[in-house]
């Protein structure tokens, strides 16, 4: 059997309106790349990156969801089992910020109760087009007791810090539980059970 190259597996989810830069944030973190061309995510996509925190190798499985309404039935099933969720809005788009409340409701409905959350105000390099002040971002995060950061996938601002901070928060929360025992296998089993229940 192949030796496991990591100690823990964390499943993270990126959610938010279409066009706020979720895919760009993910690509900047996973491949240190940025593409200015907007290609809408169809359904769901994911990347894997291993980071080292507190002497542990943590494999981050990061799921990038489609923001459009028509994909919501697909993407909500990915909330289950997510250990960390990043809610992304675009600082130049007021509507995407207002919708953060709606995304938070989705988390309450579909995600585990103890999921770690973080709000990202993306595209902070476009200060001249800013429609949402940093203070408003901080205020909504405070109100819901969530971490907050402004990021720019294009200028590579706070991207790595955001993922590391979220992973660190999950690590702190889960260090009491024993997650080292084949975390990926447990998740697969759970999914199989759900499938069985559904067909009977």
């Amino acid at each position: 059997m192949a030796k496991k190259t990591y100690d823990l597996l964390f499943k993270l989810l990126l959610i938010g309106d279409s066009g706020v830069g979720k895919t760009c944030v993910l690509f900047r973190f996973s491949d240190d790349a940025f593409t200015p061309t907007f290609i809408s995510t169809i359904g769901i996509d994911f990347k894997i990156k291993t980071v080292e925190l507190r002497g542990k190798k943590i494999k981050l499985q990061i799921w990038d969801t489609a923001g459009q309404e028509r994909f919501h039935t697909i993407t909500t099933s990915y909330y289950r089992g997510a250990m960390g969720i990043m809610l992304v809005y675009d600082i130049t788009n007021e509507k995407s910020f207002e919708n953060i409340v709606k995304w938070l409701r989705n988390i309450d409905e579909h995600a585990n109760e103890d999921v770690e959350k973080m709000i990202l105000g993306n595209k902070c390099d476009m200060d001249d087009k800013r429609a949402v002040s940093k203070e408003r971002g901080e205020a909504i995060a405070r109100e819901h007791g969530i971490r907050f950061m402004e990021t720019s996938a294009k200028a590579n601002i706070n991207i790595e810090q955001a993922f590391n901070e979220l992973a660190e928060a999950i690590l702190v929360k889960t260090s009491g539980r024993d997650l080292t025992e084949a975390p990926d296998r447990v998740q697969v089993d759970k999914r199989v059970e759900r499938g069985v229940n559904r067909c009977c």
Side-chain angles (χ1 to χ4, degrees), residues 1-20:
M1 201 171 103
K3 187 180 177 292
K4 212 161 56 166
T5 54
Y6 59 93
D7 302 307
L8 299 164
L9 176 78
F10 290 172
K11 180 181 166 186
L12 307 181
L13 199 59
L14 285 164
I15 61 173
D17 284 10
S18 180
V20 296

Side-chain angles (χ1 to χ4, degrees), residues 36-191:
T37 336
F38 172 62
I39 301 159
S40 191
T41 302
I42 305 294
I44 199 115
D45 195 9
F46 83 97
K47 289 267 187 193
I48 282 175
K49 181 166 179 174
T50 305
V51 297
E52 199 155 320
L53 287 175
R54 303 187 175 204
K56 286 202 182 304
K57 273 198 166 60
I58 299 168
K59 187 179 189 175
L60 301 178
Q61 190 184 65
I62 310 155
W63 294 85
D64 175 19
T65 64
Q68 297 102 315
E69 204 67 51
R70 65 195 163 114
F71 291 118
H72 282 193
T73 44
I74 311 171
T75 56
T76 49
S77 60
Y78 285 88
Y79 284 65
R80 283 191 295 267
M83 298 158 86
I85 297 181
M86 285 184 165
L87 300 96
V88 188
Y89 70 89
D90 170 354
I91 68 149
T92 70
N93 179 334
E94 174 79 35
K95 187 91 180 87
S96 72
F97 176 72
E98 288 167 8
N99 282 340
I100 285 292
V101 176
K102 181 188 78 177
W103 291 105
L104 281 164
R105 264 202 310 274
N106 277 355
I107 293 174
D108 288 343
E109 282 170 36
H110 304 289
N112 299 343
E113 226 173 282
D114 63 347
V115 68
E116 282 294 334
K117 298 180 284 274
M118 180 180 241
I119 295 175
L120 298 186
N122 195 35
K123 306 190 186 180
C124 70
D125 56 290
M126 295 168 76
D127 221 19
D128 53 329
K129 294 193 174 81
R130 181 186 283 276
V132 182
S133 70
K134 190 176 182 181
E135 290 69 32
R136 286 175 68 200
E138 288 167 340
I140 194 168
R142 244 196 328 273
E143 189 188 322
H144 294 276
I146 307 174
R147 290 170 177 70
F148 170 81
M149 227 176 250
E150 283 202 339
T151 56
S152 164
K154 187 178 182 180
N156 198 6
I157 299 167
N158 283 342
I159 299 291
E160 196 143 338
Q161 290 88 323
F163 280 97
N164 284 345
E165 202 174 296
L166 190 61
E168 178 106 21
I170 299 167
L171 183 61
V172 168
K173 185 176 278 185
T174 53
S175 53
R177 296 180 233 149
D178 186 18
L179 277 180
T180 46
E181 206 32 65
D184 30 8
R185 197 159 55 234
V186 175
Q187 279 174 332
V188 173
D189 290 348
K190 259 193 253 168
R191 214 169 299 144

